[in-house]
């Protein structure tokens, strides 16, 4: 197995896209350090642990809880993972928060929260990943298809994910000599509970109609791309890979 003995830290790693990435990386032998945020994640973690053990009984899996919007919390997460596993080879950051509103209705508090979750967290995860990931490692941040589209109402969401592209470009150059590849993956509107609360039924149909086969992106479309970047795709670095069934294609 390509990742036997490797340690992958996945933030937001117990449900939806993060959980699917965990299952995918378990399938190629990676040990898994899985972070979750809300207290409800404990139940998701228990369910996922059973699935992972069935998929690959020989891997080590551990779980970590925390709000990662402070630099100190991100530092502690990495310290805990290194204490438990000895090293970190792969980091996949799936943390995100969406807001769909006209800019005239977005408060300062909402702006600060969006940038704390989508930009600040991504920055400090990259910082700690740069400090801890072993030579030849992989660092992947999840952004959004909206970085490739002109769309109203997601201004604070796309706007707070946009800096991650440049963080990634800078970090990829800084880590090139250590053969660490650093990339973003940008899914299209994805069929998870993250997507639905802010969308009307008509909007859901509109999003579907922009994708190949008239459907949303599925987590199963994205997780194999993450695996590829962690294995055979190691030569790719500094990129944002748009995977959205044509959603952003003109
Ligand atoms: N679903 C879509 O339509 C879509 C499309 C394109 C890109 N994306 C991106 O894909 C990624 C995964 O999304 P998903 O659909 O799989 O939904 P998701 O499971 O809800 O992923 C978001 C994760 O971020 C965590 N999070 C939020 N605030 C946090 C904080 N302060 N500290 C630490 N973690 C925090 C969430 O934990 P809690 O739920 O416990 O707060 C959750 O685990 C996100 O970055 C999202 O922006 C999603």
């Amino acid at each position: 197995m390509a990742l036997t003995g490797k340690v992958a830290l996945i933030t937001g790693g117990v449900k939806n896209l993060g959980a699917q990435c965990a299952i995918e990386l378990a399938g190629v032998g990676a040990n898994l350090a899985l972070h979750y945020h809300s207290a409800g994640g404990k139940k998701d973690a228990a369910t996922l642990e059973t699935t992972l053990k069935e998929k690959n009984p020989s891997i080590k899996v551990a779980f970590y809880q925390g709000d990662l919007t402070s630099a100190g919390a991100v530092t502690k997460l990495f310290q805990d993972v290194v204490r438990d596993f000895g090293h970190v080879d792969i980091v996949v950051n799936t943390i995100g928060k969406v807001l769909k509103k006209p800019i005239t209705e977005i408060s300062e508090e909402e702006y600060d929260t969006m940038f704390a979750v989508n930009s600040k967290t991504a920055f400090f995860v990259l910082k700690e990943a740069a400090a801890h990931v072993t030579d030849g490692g992989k660092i992947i941040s999840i952004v959004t298809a909206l970085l490739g589209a002109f769309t109203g109402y997601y201004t604070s969401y796309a706007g707070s994910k946009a800096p991650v592209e440049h963080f990634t470009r800078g970090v990829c150059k800084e880590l090139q000599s250590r053969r660490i590849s650093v990339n973003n993956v940008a899914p299209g509107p994805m069929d998870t509970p993250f997507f639905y609360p802010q969308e009307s039924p008509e909007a859901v149909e509109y999003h579907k109609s922009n994708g190949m086969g008239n459907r949303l992106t599925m987590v199963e479309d994205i997780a194999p791309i993450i695996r590829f970047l962690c294995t055979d795709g190691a030569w790719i670095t500094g990129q944002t890979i748009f995977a959205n069934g044509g959603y952003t294609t003109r």
Side-chain angles (χ1 to χ4, degrees):
M1 289 192 180
L3 298 181
T4 298
K6 303 290 184 192
V7 177
L9 165 60
I10 306 176
T11 57
V14 300
K15 63 179 178 179
N16 305 325
L17 180 59
Q20 194 62 36
C21 291
I23 292 166
E24 196 73 34
L25 296 184
V28 284
N31 296 310
L32 296 167
L34 303 176
H35 154 270
Y36 62 91
H37 173 219
S38 308
K42 204 168 184 175
K43 205 166 154 228
D44 295 319
T47 308
L48 180 61
E49 188 168 25
T50 306
T51 307
L52 292 170
K53 288 292 174 193
E54 280 168 13
K55 178 104 184 165
N56 190 341
S58 62
I59 60 169
K60 175 175 171 175
V61 181
F63 297 94
Y64 305 84
Q65 195 261 330
D67 178 339
L68 298 184
T69 50
S70 74
V74 180
T75 302
K76 182 177 182 313
L77 172 65
F78 276 79
Q79 283 171 346
D80 290 350
V81 173
V82 170
R83 177 200 62 210
D84 294 346
F85 287 86
H87 57 103
V88 185
D89 306 287
I90 293 165
V91 174
V92 182
N93 176 23
T94 79
I95 291 172
K97 187 174 179 63
V98 68
L99 181 68
K100 185 181 184 184
K101 264 188 179 182
I103 193 168
T104 50
E105 293 177 15
I106 296 175
S107 69
E108 182 177 2
E109 192 184 354
E110 285 172 326
Y111 174 94
D112 286 343
T113 302
M114 292 301 286
F115 276 77
V117 176
N118 291 327
S119 297
K120 184 180 177 187
T121 298
F123 183 93
F124 284 99
V125 169
L126 281 169
K127 176 181 171 178
E128 292 297 334
H132 289 96
V133 163
T134 51
D135 291 0
K138 317 285 180 291
I139 305 172
I140 299 162
S141 304
I142 304 300
V143 291
T144 165
L146 295 173
L147 298 189
F150 286 29
T151 317
Y153 309 124
Y154 295 101
T155 314
S156 67
Y157 176 55
S160 56
K161 286 279 192 182
V164 184
E165 278 206 284
H166 273 284
F167 299 161
T168 289
R169 288 173 186 150
V171 177
C172 112
K173 295 307 285 184
E174 292 181 28
L175 300 185
Q176 212 167 311
S177 63
R178 293 177 50 212
R179 296 174 292 101
I180 296 171
S181 60
V182 191
N183 292 291
N184 303 307
V185 173
M190 195 160 56
D191 189 5
T192 74
F194 180 96
F195 166 74
Y196 290 98
Q198 61 282 350
E199 304 295 342
S200 65
E202 295 75 25
V204 172
E205 290 311 310
Y206 172 77
H207 288 299
K208 283 184 180 174
S209 71
N210 278 291
M212 196 160 48
N214 201 42
R215 69 165 174 84
L216 298 173
T217 296
M218 307 297 289
V219 294
E220 292 83 359
D221 296 318
I222 303 301
I225 298 168
I226 307 290
R227 172 179 39 78
F228 175 72
L229 289 172
C230 294
T231 54
D232 292 344
W235 194 241
I236 299 170
T237 192
Q239 305 303 308
T240 298
I241 298 180
F242 284 84
N244 54 52
Y247 185 82
T248 53
T249 309
R250 286 155 200 266

